[in-house]
Amino acid sequence: MTQPSKPRLLQIARLPLAALETDLAARYDVVCLSDQADPVAFLAEHGASFTGVVTSASIGLKGEVIAALPRLQVISSFGVGFDALDIAAARARGIPVGYTPDVLNDCVADMAFALMLDVSRGVAASDRFVRRGEWPKTRYAPLTRVSGKRLGIVGMGRIGLAVAERATGFRMEVGYYNRRPVEGSALPRLESLLALAQWADYLVLTVAGGASTRHMVNREVLDALGPRGYLVNVARGSVVDEAALVEALQHKRIAGAGLDVFENEPQVPAALMALDNVVLTPHTASATHETRRAMADLVLENLESFYATGAVRVPVPLA
Ligand code: 8YV
């Protein structure tokens, strides 16, 4: 008896976890688009053979690729953000999109605190000081206390709530700004982003990326945060006007920034690298073995569920 053939999946580019690629290859007939010498010609010739797509929040999925896959039935994405995926194009064709929320909340919130603590207490900067051999020559100047300060969270979704939860141990006062008040939350919602920035010592961004939040943290917001305030971004680079941020940091109009995401990843402005009151991480907030494995499992479950039942397990919500 002939075996039913495995569904054919188009993987848009190399995935952040090699083990996921191995698992996918064991279950599906997978081809990686970015490995093709001429991806456009490849799609024109083979596009009709794929029923599934695998991608990630960072890689995304362009509408023109969706258009080149006439038999596409399902999309499974590694990550919680879907600002780089053409969701409208998928919806227009009724193609379900699976993604991986929740499993990364803890690690992203941990990273927000790591950046907040580091930029305030100078962990990375003083590590550089010790390694440069400066300790025997001079003292490291005192920095800023985190405990007991005001934490302003922009975007009170699942990750924002996990950040707020962690603030308890630091006896921080928490406020947030969100388009809609969060039901059942006793935390105060400030009336505007500007008001939150004015109030907060730390402005932590956990809001979704995309057109509606692009550059919402602009010069005015940074000035409201002020020379004693810190910005922490574990959301998307697009949320911050990076040129305005560089200028605010250079002129000490804000105290410092902890950044995991950038406008033009993986490019980081040289001006940011030159500053000691900035901590930079390469979009690794979810990058722990445990969380990346859980995300990979959800990518697999979404596909498995779709091919068994016609529905992904965790779909991107309808607007
Ligand atoms: C990952 C992310 O780094 O989930 C997201 O939206 O940005 C991160 O968790 C990303 O999915 C890797 O591509």
Side-chain angles (χ1 to χ4, degrees):
M1 222 169 74
T2 53
Q3 292 290 318
S5 59
K6 293 175 180 173
R8 210 158 142 75
L9 289 192
L10 185 68
Q11 181 183 317
I12 302 303
R14 290 273 154 228
L15 295 168
L17 195 72
L20 174 58
E21 295 193 350
T22 310
D23 294 340
L24 286 165
R27 294 164 171 78
Y28 303 98
D29 179 6
V30 188
V31 177
C32 184
L33 185 59
S34 64
D35 286 353
Q36 307 308 311
D38 183 344
V40 175
F42 175 85
L43 282 176
E45 197 177 334
H46 303 283
S49 64
F50 296 98
T51 57
V53 155
V54 181
T55 187
S56 77
S58 307
I59 299 163
L61 181 60
K62 292 193 168 75
E64 65 224 47
V65 176
I66 296 179
L69 304 169
R71 291 182 55 233
L72 184 62
Q73 294 172 3
V74 61
I75 297 165
S76 184
S77 180
F78 181 94
V80 66
F82 44 85
D83 47 304
L85 266 86
D86 194 335
I87 294 290
R91 274 193 195 130
R93 294 217 348 236
I95 300 166
V97 182
Y99 74 142
T100 68
D102 288 320
V103 292
L104 43 58
N105 297 349
D106 281 339
C107 278
V108 177
D110 290 353
M111 186 63 121
F113 264 85
L115 291 170
M116 202 176 357
L117 287 164
D118 193 334
V119 72
S120 296
R121 302 296 309 275
V123 179
S126 55
D127 173 277
R128 292 193 290 272
F129 168 91
V130 171
R131 287 170 200 261
R132 281 195 305 266
E134 287 187 42
W135 194 9
K137 298 180 226 154
T138 178
R139 293 212 182 110
Y140 196 78
L143 292 169
T144 306
R145 173 184 189 147
V146 174
S147 293
K149 296 288 177 63
R150 289 175 167 178
L151 171 62
I153 300 176
V154 182
M156 198 49 129
R158 294 168 281 220
I159 296 173
L161 284 167
V163 172
E165 220 176 79
R166 280 152 179 76
T168 315
F170 290 83
R171 295 186 303 283
M172 296 179 95
E173 217 183 314
V174 180
Y176 73 94
Y177 174 68
N178 208 48
R179 264 179 314 171
R180 282 183 287 260
V182 177
E183 265 178 60
S185 169
L187 296 171
R189 170 176 172 265
L190 279 83
E191 73 275 11
S192 68
L193 174 54
L194 215 55
L196 184 73
Q198 239 145 23
W199 173 85
D201 297 302
Y202 296 91
L203 195 64
V204 175
L205 311 181
T206 53
V207 73
S212 63
T213 57
R214 187 171 182 275
H215 285 193
M216 74 190 281
V217 175
N218 55 18
R219 186 189 165 109
E220 210 187 351
V221 171
L222 293 168
D223 282 342
L225 184 59
R228 290 155 69 95
Y230 293 87
L231 180 75
V232 170
N233 191 359
V234 289
R236 283 292 180 265
S238 61
V239 177
V240 179
D241 178 343
E242 207 167 68
L245 174 62
V246 167
E247 224 213 332
L249 286 163
Q250 282 172 333
H251 295 98
K252 304 221 162 33
R253 296 199 334 271
I254 67 166
L259 307 170
D260 186 51
V261 287
F262 305 88
E263 274 205 87
N264 187 27
E265 293 174 15
Q267 305 307 322
V268 175
L272 280 179
M273 296 197 207
L275 296 168
D276 233 21
N277 57 340
V278 176
V279 178
L280 308 165
T281 49
H283 199 149
T284 46
S286 71
T288 62
H289 297 299
E290 297 87 342
T291 287
R292 287 275 162 102
R293 186 62 248 175
M295 292 164 75
D297 287 343
L298 210 38
V299 167
L300 294 165
E301 281 173 48
N302 277 330
L303 287 169
E304 197 179 293
S305 163
F306 177 81
Y307 284 112
T309 69
V312 296
R313 190 162 88 71
V314 185
V316 164
L318 294 167

